[in-house]
Amino acid sequence: MAHHHDTFKLHSPEFSTLNRKLDRRDFLLRTASGLGAMALGSLISSNAKGNTLEQQIMSALPSIAPKAKRVVYLFMSGGPSQFETFDYKPKLSNMFGQGLPDSVRKGQRLTGMSANQAVLPLVPSAYKFNQYGKSKTWVSDLLPYTSQVVDDLCIVKSMFTEQINHDPAITFFQTGHQLPGRPSIGSWMSYGLGSENQNLPAFIVLVSKDASKDQPLYARLWGNGFLPSEHQGVQFRSGKDPVLFLNNPEGYDGKDRQQMLEYLTKLNQLQNETWGDPEVDARIAQYEMAYRMQTSVPEVMDTSKEPDEVFELYGEGSRDKGTYAANCLLARKLLEKDVRFVQLYHQGWDHHGSLPKGMAHQCKQTDRATAALIIDLKRRGLLEDTLVVWGGEFGRTVYSQGKLTKDDYGRDHHPRCFTMWMAGAGVKSGISYGETDDFSYNIIKNPVHVHDFQATLLHLMGIDHEQLTYKYQGRRFRLTDVHGQVIKGILS
């Protein structure tokens, strides 16, 4: 039997020059994609966002009407205690020092830090709670400013996760998987929706410089994973160079840079035509974005023209670039510029010991600016189409870790129930959703898994979490893996 050669040679002048050869599978895939693209041309509008065919197809499909245009996610790294913030448990006041009942623990997993304790002594919050707003929401004395905006908040008290240690828990929240390598939630947003400001990245990250560094943060938490690299989060810093490697090298001016980029683009295009590597397109897009950012970044980073009353609103720390307060103010400016996803990270919430002192310090750093961001967005008409999210990777235990005294205690990690809140576009205001037992140890009503939270976040941005996928190594991945339900009870 005669054997047919499995290689096709394209005889166009371009490919003849390059002596490019395609195997049979590559040829069929490329020609099929081309024909498919032609057929889809009538379905895809000229202003479809995204450069890749898959993104254009996504934009042509029916979508959910978005309630939010942009997100600001205030991530409290370390796991803030629900007992000292929003989950008021008055019955604990008469149970100080008593052991955690087995009927409550139900054999659930403990961390290695408290698993060997002879007793797990119950400890009520050292701080008082009061009711605020028309909603009569219980809030700790540690949050005097947040207490004034509770009627704008949707407080979810029944969050839960399977991850009991920091790194896998944070990674799970940010990427939908406990192991590194998946795209971050902001990268999924960038990939699925593109950018509404062509001079700034769709996904920007701000990390507090003044926070306690009890748990490390890794750039992979805002990484693009297997998505094209143009979708990774860009960290804005407080130093001389807000974005690393953005400024021209010494001796270069804007014209030199533009000329260099034009030649570099031609080389990249030639490489792309030769090998068909989609990452080349991402590289070209990044260089072009960097060039545009040379003028847009200094403008947006400059807060000197803000009136004094704005600095007063966010707190005196807002004048010191890189602090949490300054980052909240900067976040508002970025949202005004239609940046799609802004994420703030504030470390220092991991209180295994000296919790009353530690929580007071953390809340003093964050409470005023957090409330100010809500107020500022609302008065500028931005809260109605901006979603604000506040929360950490898990909660804390009702029992004290280590030595318990009348004035001092610590709390271990607790993934079984904890509190987050959302505010703004698409969510009900002035409500608390979900309930925990008298020990805030188990959920007794309306549990919300991390994947449910992620599915809801995408839904509010007009994305069906089951449809936003990316094929990698033969499998179609999504942020919520194979799980997740939209939390309809909190939707407005």
Side-chain angles (χ1 to χ4, degrees):
M1 181 180 293
H3 294 280
H4 296 283
H5 201 282
D6 270 351
T7 302
F8 290 84
K9 184 175 181 180
L10 302 183
H11 294 287
S12 67
E14 177 185 356
F15 280 91
S16 295
T17 302
L18 296 172
N19 195 28
R20 170 73 167 126
K21 291 187 177 182
L22 301 175
D23 62 28
R24 187 189 299 267
R25 176 179 295 177
D26 199 10
F27 174 78
L28 291 173
L29 282 173
R30 291 183 182 281
T31 53
S33 295
L35 292 172
M38 291 172 63
L40 281 165
S42 61
L43 297 175
I44 301 174
S45 62
S46 60
N47 64 346
K49 292 182 172 65
N51 297 319
T52 67
L53 177 61
E54 187 163 357
Q55 284 177 292
Q56 294 176 21
I57 293 171
M58 285 293 299
S59 66
L61 295 174
S63 61
I64 304 163
K67 295 292 183 70
K69 290 183 178 179
R70 59 195 81 85
V71 176
V72 55
Y73 190 166
L74 312 173
F75 194 87
M76 304 294 109
S77 176
S81 170
Q82 70 274 27
F83 295 96
E84 279 71 29
T85 50
F86 300 102
D87 203 4
Y88 181 41
K89 298 300 175 188
K91 290 186 179 181
L92 290 176
S93 59
N94 297 322
M95 305 179 74
F96 182 92
Q98 296 181 26
L100 176 69
D102 291 338
S103 59
V104 175
R105 180 185 168 187
K106 299 178 181 178
Q108 293 174 23
R109 178 188 179 192
L110 305 179
T111 74
M113 292 168 283
S114 59
N116 295 321
Q117 287 186 202
V119 64
L120 301 173
L122 301 176
V123 53
S125 174
Y127 295 94
K128 295 180 180 179
F129 277 68
N130 289 289
Q131 289 178 293
Y132 296 91
K134 295 179 180 178
S135 56
K136 300 295 182 183
T137 300
W138 290 98
V139 182
S140 163
D141 286 353
L142 288 175
L143 301 170
Y145 291 95
T146 301
S147 67
Q148 301 307 307
V149 296
V150 288
D151 285 341
D152 293 307
L153 306 186
C154 174
I155 301 172
V156 181
K157 296 182 178 179
S158 53
M159 290 294 307
F160 74 98
T161 180
E162 291 88 9
Q163 314 311 323
I164 201 169
N165 292 313
H166 292 285
D167 186 71
I170 296 176
T171 304
F172 190 53
F173 247 106
Q174 300 304 287
T175 72
H177 198 272
Q178 66 175 336
L179 299 178
R182 303 280 183 97
S184 60
I185 191 168
S187 294
W188 278 112
M189 289 283 190
S190 174
Y191 169 69
L193 296 173
S195 175
E196 290 195 333
N197 186 329
Q198 297 306 310
N199 297 320
L200 288 169
F203 177 22
I204 293 176
V205 174
L206 307 169
V207 179
S208 301
K209 71 174 185 180
D210 57 336
S212 303
K213 305 298 190 293
D214 51 15
Q215 292 298 327
L217 293 175
Y218 305 99
R220 59 174 169 78
L221 294 174
W222 49 89
N224 57 293
F226 43 69
L227 293 177
S229 56
E230 65 197 273
H231 301 295
Q232 67 183 324
V234 178
Q235 185 179 351
F236 279 23
R237 303 164 189 264
S238 58
K240 181 181 178 181
D241 296 322
V243 180
L244 298 181
F245 313 114
L246 186 63
N247 292 332
N248 289 325
E250 187 176 347
Y252 264 66
D253 60 23
K255 187 176 181 181
D256 293 332
R257 180 81 164 218
Q258 185 176 16
Q259 189 177 42
M260 181 269 290
L261 287 174
E262 287 174 355
Y263 282 111
L264 189 59
T265 297
K266 290 179 181 178
L267 288 172
N268 282 325
Q269 287 172 342
L270 183 63
Q271 182 182 0
N272 197 20
E273 291 165 358
T274 306
W275 303 110
D277 183 359
E279 192 58 29
V280 176
D281 288 330
R283 188 190 311 154
I284 293 172
Q286 286 177 309
Y287 279 125
E288 292 174 346
M289 172 62 78
Y291 181 70
R292 296 193 297 271
M293 285 168 63
Q294 285 189 317
T295 54
S296 62
V297 169
E299 177 190 358
V300 78
M301 293 291 291
D302 182 13
T303 59
S304 62
K305 297 179 182 178
E306 294 287 335
D308 289 342
E309 66 91 10
V310 169
F311 290 110
E312 177 64 25
L313 177 66
Y314 284 87
E316 196 58 34
S318 59
R319 295 183 184 272
D320 183 7
K321 291 185 177 180
T323 64
Y324 178 82
N327 284 346
C328 282
L329 175 53
L330 180 56
R332 188 220 77 205
K333 290 194 68 179
L334 292 170
L335 295 168
E336 283 183 308
K337 297 290 186 181
D338 285 322
V339 173
R340 181 77 68 185
F341 197 94
V342 181
Q343 182 139 26
L344 277 66
Y345 285 91
H346 188 80
Q347 297 160 277
W349 296 93
D350 189 27
H351 298 128
H352 293 274
S354 302
L355 185 142
K357 180 180 178 181
M359 283 293 293
H361 174 74
Q362 289 296 102
C363 291
K364 185 176 181 180
Q365 282 192 319
T366 60
D367 175 46
R368 183 171 183 170
T370 299
L373 181 59
I374 297 288
I375 294 169
D376 209 6
L377 290 173
K378 189 174 183 179
R379 69 185 183 179
R380 292 168 188 269
L382 290 169
L383 191 60
E384 61 190 30
D385 56 9
T386 301
L387 180 67
V388 185
V389 180
W390 181 97
E393 67 267 34
F394 43 52
R396 314 302 297 195
T397 55
V398 65
Y399 58 81
S400 176
Q401 178 185 329
K403 186 177 180 180
L404 171 63
T405 68
K406 182 179 178 181
D407 302 315
D408 197 23
Y409 55 91
R411 298 190 190 276
D412 203 354
H413 310 165
H414 190 61
R416 292 298 302 167
C417 56
F418 56 102
T419 299
M420 293 181 65
W421 59 253
M422 290 178 267
V427 295
K428 294 177 180 177
S429 57
I431 71 161
S432 292
Y433 183 84
E435 293 181 23
T436 60
D437 61 21
D438 291 334
F439 303 86
S440 194
Y441 206 89
N442 298 292
I443 297 169
I444 59 176
K445 184 178 180 181
N446 294 329
V448 178
H449 188 262
V450 173
H451 284 314
D452 299 333
F453 159 74
Q454 293 163 340
T456 305
L457 190 60
L458 292 178
H459 175 86
L460 291 168
M461 293 292 286
I463 300 172
D464 182 340
H465 72 105
E466 294 182 348
Q467 298 300 316
L468 182 62
T469 63
Y470 189 87
K471 192 171 184 180
Y472 174 68
Q473 293 186 342
R475 178 192 162 185
R476 292 196 175 276
F477 288 86
R478 68 185 208 220
L479 173 64
T480 52
D481 197 37
V482 295
H483 308 281
Q485 299 289 330
V486 174
I487 317 165
K488 296 182 179 179
I490 70 170
L491 300 182
S492 59

